[in-house]
Amino acid sequence: MALINIKDLTFGYDGSEKNVFENINVGIDTTWRLGLAGRNGRGKTTFFKLLRGELQYSGTITGVPDTIMFPSDDMPEADDWKIRKELNLMGADPDIMYRPLDTLSGGERTKLMLANLFAADGLYPLIDEPTNHLDRAGREKVAEYLSSKEGFILISHDREFMDRSTDHTLVITKTGIELTANTFSVWWDNNEKRMESENARNEQLKKEMGAIDEAMKKNAKWASKAESVKNRANAPHKIAEDHFRRAYEAEKSRKLMSLASNLQNRNEKKLEEKKGLLRDIEKTEELKLTGSTHHNKTPVILKDVCLFRYGDQISTGINLTVEQGSIISLQGPNGCGKSTLIKYLLDPSNEAEGITADGDIYIAPGLTISYVGQDTSSLRGTIYETAIDRGIDKTLLSTILVKMGFTKEMLARDTNDLSLGQKKSVMIAMSLCEQADLYLWDEPLNYIDVYMRKEIERLVKQSSVTMLFVEHDRKFAESVADYELVMG
């Protein structure tokens, strides 16, 4: 067993007003199956880079073994028989190791890279988001595979995948790092209870602070009154006033001002103490999704439909009825035609991608559709320029993105400079801006952190929109869908 010791770690990027990590102290046993969690932009990938010595920092990091990153184009050296063994354990065809990488599907490439990681001797795997190209069956197989290993750190936003793969969790929070000898879901549930308690405590503190503020306002009135008394006591008069009366007024003024000053000082001290007790709670702002209502109650009907791409059959026997207000999950293995079906419904005359269909097809005329695709390369220019191109109100878009964790500085960036998670957030936010008859979302949660996944889950469940989506996050799909269509 080796122990990674991190002491007083502080790191911030040049030009950033706030450090990513501030005086972090934690010990990591390298035999753990450690899940690394936290919101997008909180520093998970940065943490990997720090462990690998790729960034300058203050503090110390010791005991880090030789590491290997996933994903990576540089495969570590390993015996062929070991790689074949690991591929077999993941249910993959071992012969894919002899094929050119550009001929492999995303899922095959993921499994091959993981097989190389664990076939290599003496390397400590740092695994960043392995699920993005895996279908549901692939995720289950890889989770089972990872649960049989020991000694790695895994970043994933898929809660079930993380739970099945890991035995410890390291969470990067707003105020530091929390380590627990439990799965992420156990940490999440405990954290939710703690947040409820902290929220109640904060509300009580705010009431107490309000009472103190009222007392301070009264003190200010007393001080004003004392000053008025003092001015009267010292004011010149045309006729002589009684000497004792003026002395009494002056003494009364002095005592009143002294009392007001002392009370003010005590209340200010109390107020600062209360502010110090307020916790910086991890909070996700609530989003809203409001669709439109099409005159046709059943806007899409497909019976025994076959899909083709450039004349090659992709899938067959599709039967789908989309009723208003229904939320339908499309499931099936990679390559079965889920994304092709989404793209066909988006544009039945999709000549650009050569998609055609045959069968009994009804798509209501005048159907307004909002689309979130897998590919983020359609984003061009700044966020506001993207909004204008799509005919979206930029004020509404920026409001939603701020709720999703964007800062003013991020809103001004060119979309090419955004992370993949941020780009996907922009695409979801644009869809939330659109009042559509039908929402078509194709793997919307890729690169989206678990906090925002939970909020999007709540949002879709509580809305009355009509939606057809593809998503391999089992917990999300099972939570929001009215039913699922399995394509084979």
Side-chain angles (χ1 to χ4, degrees), residues 215-227 252-268:
M216 291 172 69
K217 289 177 181 177
K218 289 181 180 178
N219 290 345
K221 289 182 181 178
W222 292 348
S224 177
K225 181 180 179 182
E227 185 66 24
K252 179 181 176 183
S253 168
R254 185 190 66 77
K255 288 183 177 179
L256 194 55
M257 289 184 69
S258 176
L259 175 61
S261 177
N262 290 336
L263 285 172
Q264 185 76 1
N265 289 337
R266 287 203 297 270
N267 283 334
E268 286 179 355

Side-chain angles (χ1 to χ4, degrees), residues 28 55 82 96 124 128 131 135 149 151 154 186 230 281 315 337 343 373 377 401 422 440:
I28 299 172
L55 300 170
K82 289 183 178 180
I96 64 175
Y124 185 56
D128 193 352
T131 61
D135 58 27
K149 302 296 181 181
L154 167 70
V186 171
K230 177 182 175 184
I281 293 175
S315 57
K343 290 177 179 177
S377 64
L401 286 172
Q422 291 163 348
L440 299 175

Side-chain angles (χ1 to χ4, degrees), residues 184-240:
F184 176 78
S185 288
V186 171
W187 176 87
W188 178 275
D189 291 341
N190 290 336
N191 188 61
E192 287 287 283
K193 293 174 184 176
R194 186 178 63 186
M195 289 301 101
E196 287 179 10
S197 175
E198 291 294 343
N199 273 319
R201 181 171 176 272
N202 278 3
E203 289 305 313
Q204 181 59 36
L205 284 170
K206 288 176 183 176
K207 288 180 182 178
E208 293 174 9
M209 289 166 64
I212 294 170
D213 188 56
E214 283 299 314
M216 291 172 69
K217 289 177 181 177
K218 289 181 180 178
N219 290 345
K221 289 182 181 178
W222 292 348
S224 177
K225 181 180 179 182
E227 185 66 24
S228 175
V229 170
K230 177 182 175 184
N231 291 337
R232 288 201 309 272
N234 295 328
H237 293 272
K238 292 181 180 179
I239 58 175

Side-chain angles (χ1 to χ4, degrees), residues 296-341:
N296 195 315
K297 299 299 182 183
T298 311
V300 176
I301 303 173
L302 306 180
K303 294 181 179 179
D304 198 23
V305 169
C306 296
L307 288 174
F308 303 86
R309 188 188 291 272
Y310 299 112
D312 294 330
Q313 184 172 292
I314 302 297
S315 57
T316 185
I318 301 171
N319 292 284
L320 171 67
T321 300
V322 178
E323 297 181 347
Q324 264 191 37
S326 62
I327 298 174
I328 303 167
S329 169
L330 285 181
Q331 293 296 326
N334 288 341
C336 70
K338 301 185 297 296
S339 295
T340 304
L341 175 57

Side-chain angles (χ1 to χ4, degrees), residues 53 103 218 247 261 378 424 455:
T103 68
K218 289 181 180 178
S261 177
S378 60
K424 211 58 185 281
E455 174 54 21

